[in-house]
């Protein structure tokens, strides 16, 4: 087995030959980032820019002599995320060929893509944000604190589990739910059994002074690239836990995180998901960097529609009219 520090770029590069300038470009990326520099790549589609960035960075995060511990890739559109997914899978094949573990890679996705109840058509994708918040709050409210927290949470989930020999498939996918497809209730309060099982396992790990990240199924961390269907199958189907919560935990374990611009520029999204990994040990790849300035400007700008302005003017006019009438009536009473 090769040591990570002696691993060569051509051992990681998943093709037999390079495009013009590709090897030189990878060496430039490696050397520049080793000195905490910045690299700007420009080239037409299909010239190999993705591998030019990922290959040297993969070498760096596996080299114990380098400070880089992870890579964060942000793209503007989902189709570009798929390009990075395809290339990291090929790099992982190269790593396996030389006896190295694959790079733990995670694609961040929205709740609508990993919620079992959306897959089951129980909750509409457009309503998932509000419904998820409601069900999570309710679930936490049903779990008593203290020593019984883990058992209380797990009891909520286990009470809705179906027979292991029963398969309940959704109408639009092959997701197989371990729970009854209807949202359950306890004490006339709706709750989420997937989230109950998740917090139950976390409470148990915390009570035993174990690492709370051990809640992540081992198979996810072993597969290399983790996509939404993997979260649904391993966290949702197999473990009966909330796939989105497991995804958030896996961010800290991932060596490559593939995300969209909001995970870098939209502060509420950063605070909720990526703030802990955006540090001096992270190499950042911004895909289609020419889109960065308008995107940041959009995230930092505030706007208001003409309809809202007109509605506000009407409300002010109505208030002025009401106050005028009220004052006149008071004068009449005097």
């Amino acid at each position: 087995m090769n040591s990570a520090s002696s691993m060569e770029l051509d051992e990681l590069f998943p093709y037999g030959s390079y495009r013009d300038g590709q090897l030189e470009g990878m060496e430039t990326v490696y050397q520049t980032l080793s000195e905490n520099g910045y690299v700007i790549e420009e080239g037409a589609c299909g010239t190999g820019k993705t591998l030019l960035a990922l290959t040297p960075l993969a070498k760096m995060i596996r080299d114990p002599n380098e400070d880089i511990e992870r890579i964060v890739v942000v793209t503007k559109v989902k189709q570009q995320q798929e390009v990075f997914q395809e290339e990291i899978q090929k790099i992982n094949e190269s790593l396996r060929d030389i006896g190295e573990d694959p790079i733990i890679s995670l694609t961040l996705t929205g709740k609508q893509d990993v919620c079992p109840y959306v897959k089951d058509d129980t909750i509409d994708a457009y309503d998932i944000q509000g419904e998820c918040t409601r069900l999570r709050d309710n679930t936490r409210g049903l779990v008593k604190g203290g020593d019984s927290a883990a058992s209380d949470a797990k009891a909520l989930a286990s009470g809705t589990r179906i027979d292991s020999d029963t398969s309940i498939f959704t109408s639009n996918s092959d997701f197989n739910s371990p729970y009854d497809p209807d949202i359950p209730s306890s004490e006339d309060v709706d709750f989420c059994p997937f989230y109950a099982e998740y917090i139950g396992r976390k409470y148990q790990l915390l009570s035993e002074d174990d690492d709370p990240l051990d809640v992540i199924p081992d198979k996810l961390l072993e597969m290399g690239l983790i996509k939404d269907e993997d979260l649904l199958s391993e966290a949702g189907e197999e473990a009966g836990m909330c796939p989105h919560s497991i995804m958030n935990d896996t961010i800290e374990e991932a060596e490559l995180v593939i995300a969209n611009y909001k995970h870098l520029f939209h502060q509420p999204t950063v605070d909720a998901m990526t703030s802990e990994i955006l540090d001096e040990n992270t190499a950042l790849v911004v895909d289609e960097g020419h889109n960065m300035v308008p995107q940041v400007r959009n995230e930092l700008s505030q706007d208001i529609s003409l309809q809202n302005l007109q509605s506000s003017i009407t409300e002010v006019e109505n208030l002025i009219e009401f106050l005028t009438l009220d004052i006149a009536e008071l004068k009449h009473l005097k």
Side-chain angles (χ1 to χ4, degrees), residues 323-334:
L323 291 175
T324 302
L325 292 172
D326 192 51
I327 290 172
E329 185 175 346
L330 286 173
K331 288 181 178 179
H332 176 73
L333 290 174
K334 287 183 178 180

Side-chain angles (χ1 to χ4, degrees), residues 2-63:
N2 274 352
S3 67
S5 59
S6 65
M7 194 184 299
E8 298 297 331
L9 288 171
D10 59 1
E11 292 180 284
L12 288 173
F13 192 76
Y15 298 102
S17 60
Y18 305 101
R19 296 183 186 275
D20 291 342
Q22 203 170 32
L23 178 58
E24 181 183 353
M26 289 191 293
E27 292 171 342
T28 298
V29 169
Y30 188 90
Q31 183 62 37
T32 304
L33 292 183
S34 293
E35 300 170 359
N36 295 319
Y38 300 85
V39 179
I40 298 176
E41 297 178 19
E42 184 176 5
C45 292
T47 55
K49 298 188 299 297
T50 302
L51 276 176
L52 192 153
L54 282 185
T55 307
L57 287 173
K59 172 176 166 57
M60 292 185 77
I61 63 175
R62 287 305 175 83
D63 188 339

Side-chain angles (χ1 to χ4, degrees), residues 104-293:
I104 301 172
S105 308
L106 174 68
T107 301
L108 300 186
T109 187
K111 289 181 180 178
Q112 69 275 8
D113 295 318
V114 290
C115 176
Y117 286 120
V118 172
K119 293 297 179 183
D120 199 42
D121 287 335
T122 304
I123 298 176
D124 191 279
Y126 293 103
D127 299 327
I128 184 57
Q129 295 297 333
E131 279 296 280
C132 179
T133 298
R134 181 180 74 89
L135 292 173
R136 285 187 175 190
D137 288 345
N138 288 353
T139 305
R140 287 191 293 266
L142 289 169
V143 176
K144 300 178 177 63
D147 296 337
S148 66
S151 58
D152 287 347
K154 288 186 175 184
L156 277 176
S158 63
T160 64
R161 280 189 177 271
I162 58 174
D163 189 288
S164 59
D165 295 328
T166 303
S167 296
I168 297 182
F169 289 95
T170 65
S171 58
N172 61 351
S173 75
D174 60 356
F175 177 75
N176 188 11
S177 175
Y179 306 109
D180 189 286
D182 295 325
I183 295 174
S185 295
S186 177
E187 303 173 17
D188 295 325
V189 176
D190 294 344
F191 69 93
C192 175
F194 294 93
Y195 188 65
E197 179 67 24
Y198 166 76
I199 62 174
R201 296 194 189 196
K202 268 219 161 167
Y203 281 137
Q204 183 173 349
L205 288 167
L206 290 168
S207 68
E208 297 170 354
D209 293 327
D210 290 329
D211 186 349
L213 291 182
D214 286 345
V215 73
I216 304 169
D218 291 336
K219 190 173 180 180
L220 282 176
L221 300 179
E222 294 168 358
M223 63 176 47
L225 176 65
I226 304 168
K227 296 190 289 187
D228 51 3
E229 56 262 34
D230 303 314
L231 290 162
L232 279 163
S233 62
E234 297 306 317
E237 291 182 9
E238 293 299 320
M241 293 188 291
C242 170
H244 191 265
S245 296
I246 293 296
M247 182 189 73
N248 281 348
D249 284 339
T250 308
I251 292 173
E252 294 186 49
E253 296 290 290
E255 296 170 290
L256 168 64
V257 175
I258 303 172
N260 61 45
Y261 277 14
K262 283 189 176 293
H263 293 98
L264 185 62
F265 302 127
H266 182 243
Q267 196 58 50
T269 303
V270 172
D271 291 342
M273 301 187 71
T274 51
S275 61
E276 295 298 319
I277 63 169
L278 297 175
D279 56 26
E280 65 275 8
N281 300 119
T282 299
L284 175 66
V285 178
V286 180
D287 185 54
E288 296 189 354
H290 59 279
N291 289 312
M292 185 165 57
V293 171

